[in-house]
Amino acid sequence: MEHQQAKTSAGNHSQSAASGSTSSPENKSSQMETIPSPNPTPSSTGDAGPYDPKQLRRILTNREAARRAHSRKKEYERKLEREAKEAEERVAMLASQVAFQRMHLTILSRENSQMWERLQVLENHQAHKEAETEALVKERETLLLLRSLQLQQQQGGSSSSNNPNNVDK
């Protein structure tokens, strides 16, 4: 009967280990105590209590798989921490670049505004000069016409005065 109870407790342990229901360290330590060793020792009554080798192999396989999974999890956590640190460093570097580019943008915007103002001044100046030139051209034409009329009056209506292009300059 003790032999069957030992078998049943070992069977229950392998089922709970396989289902992954051991999450607290207390449960793990209590399971470690109940898992039979590969070489069973005789009980106090002298019963040898043979264990199923497949069950023992499954227990050991599960332990090794859990150890590997834990190792992979730790490595993954370290990888994520490295990536987070690298991302934070990149953010810090990019933040300084953004600040520099914003300052540069402010300077360029100011220069752009000044250049637009200067362009407006030059366009206004050019428009004024064009208007001045146009007025001077009209004044010249008027003066030429007046001179031509004066010459005609001085010459008393000569035939060459009919041609305004024949004026002395």
Side-chain angles (χ1 to χ4, degrees):
M1 179 122 167
E2 283 181 30
H3 174 65
Q4 282 183 344
Q5 285 177 349
K7 216 176 196 183
T8 305
S9 69
N12 288 343
H13 174 66
S14 66
Q15 289 172 356
S16 66
S19 68
S21 66
T22 60
S23 60
S24 70
E26 188 177 297
N27 287 345
K28 289 181 182 177
S29 64
S30 66
Q31 287 178 357
M32 296 292 261
E33 295 169 3
T34 59
I35 295 176
S37 64
N39 298 324
T41 58
S43 66
S44 60
T45 60
D47 237 348
Y51 295 102
D52 185 15
K54 287 182 182 178
Q55 186 179 18
L56 291 175
R57 195 175 15 234
R58 188 173 51 232
I59 290 170
L60 293 175
T61 304
N62 286 347
R63 280 185 187 168
E64 181 61 24
R67 186 192 63 73
R68 286 192 312 267
H70 181 72
S71 176
R72 281 192 309 269
K73 180 181 175 185
K74 288 295 183 187
E75 182 57 35
Y76 181 68
E77 288 173 352
R78 285 190 292 270
K79 177 185 169 205
L80 289 178
E81 287 172 359
R82 278 192 311 270
E83 289 175 356
K85 184 179 179 183
E86 289 171 1
E88 288 172 358
E89 290 171 355
R90 181 154 170 74
V91 164
M93 179 189 65
L94 291 175
S96 67
Q97 288 180 356
V98 165
F100 174 78
Q101 293 299 334
R102 282 187 179 153
M103 184 179 67
H104 191 65
L105 175 65
T106 302
I107 292 168
L108 291 176
S109 295
R110 191 175 306 129
E111 286 178 8
N112 190 27
S113 296
Q114 291 171 349
M115 292 176 92
W116 275 107
E117 289 172 7
R118 179 74 176 137
L119 180 64
Q120 283 299 119
V121 167
L122 291 174
E123 285 177 347
N124 289 340
H125 183 70
Q126 180 183 6
H128 178 67
K129 289 295 183 181
E130 286 175 355
E132 242 180 52
T133 303
E134 188 176 322
L136 290 173
V137 166
K138 283 183 182 180
E139 185 179 348
R140 179 179 175 259
E141 289 174 358
T142 305
L143 290 173
L144 286 175
L145 184 61
L146 285 174
R147 184 169 181 207
S148 169
L149 289 175
Q150 281 178 346
L151 287 176
Q152 279 180 356
Q153 285 177 353
Q154 287 176 358
Q155 292 178 357
S158 72
S159 65
S160 63
S161 65
N162 288 338
N163 190 356
N165 291 334
N166 196 10
V167 175
D168 288 340
K169 295 183 181 175

